[in-house]
Amino acid sequence: MTGADVLLLALGAVAVGSGVLVVTTDQLVRAGLYLVVCLGAIAGLYLVLTAELVAWVQVLIYVGAVVVLLLFAVMLTRAPIGRSPDLNRPGLPAVLIGGGAGLGLAVLFADAFRFTKVDLPSPGNAEAIGTELFRSWVLPFEVLSVLLLAALVGAIIVSRPDIGSRP
């Protein structure tokens, strides 16, 4: 077992542990902060796997934008910041559904790969990825940015009672 394997296991454990904390906590802001830890650990996994571009995209888009958008939505909609009884739900159905989904995915992967060694493609570089990204995928990224902007504006409008009300 190499140092990269140990680092992969440690980062995977951090990601799974913080992911469990995201769905089990009864405080919304803490769930958002646990999500930051989980997504940061996944970015670390990408770095260990030498996918630096994907790791930085993970940090910039998911950790930097999505979590900030989530926390702004919490602040703008005046959601409860402390403990909330709405977030307490029975755990047994969640464990059964999550365990069933995990078991189903494990069976699917075992059946698909049949424990064979998969040959890896030749490694790419950031220039080839950037060229493909900015030639073929510009429009979907721009549409997504407009969609996120519309969601933020919609959250502001929904949270402000004085907008759209009659005097």
Side-chain angles (χ1 to χ4, degrees):
M1 187 177 267
T2 65
D5 293 337
V6 171
L7 195 55
L8 280 172
L9 286 173
L11 286 170
V14 169
V16 169
S18 59
V20 167
L21 288 173
V22 167
V23 298
T24 58
T25 186
D26 57 351
Q27 295 187 8
L28 195 57
V29 174
R30 285 190 183 177
L33 295 176
Y34 291 140
L35 185 63
V36 168
V37 173
C38 180
L39 295 173
I42 292 172
L45 288 170
Y46 289 139
L47 281 175
V48 173
L49 294 171
T50 66
E52 293 89 5
L53 179 69
V54 180
W56 289 115
V57 167
Q58 171 85 12
V59 169
L60 288 174
I61 294 187
Y62 287 106
V63 176
V66 172
V67 173
V68 168
L69 184 68
L70 172 80
L71 292 176
F72 272 120
V74 167
M75 289 187 291
L76 288 173
T77 58
R78 297 185 186 99
I81 293 179
R83 294 189 182 277
S84 176
D86 294 345
L87 297 178
N88 291 333
R89 300 209 168 83
L92 182 62
V95 169
L96 289 175
I97 292 171
L103 184 64
L105 283 173
V107 168
L108 177 73
F109 284 141
D111 183 52
F113 293 110
R114 302 220 184 256
F115 299 105
T116 58
K117 185 174 181 177
V118 177
D119 294 328
L120 295 175
S122 61
N125 57 10
E127 181 182 356
I129 293 173
T131 302
E132 182 67 24
L133 186 69
F134 287 114
R135 284 196 181 147
S136 303
W137 295 96
V138 171
L139 184 62
F141 279 122
E142 290 300 321
V143 169
L144 184 63
S145 68
V146 170
L147 178 69
L148 288 173
L149 177 66
L152 184 60
V153 170
I156 292 170
I157 290 173
V158 166
S159 68
R160 300 261 324 255
D162 58 334
I163 296 177
S165 63
R166 296 183 182 178

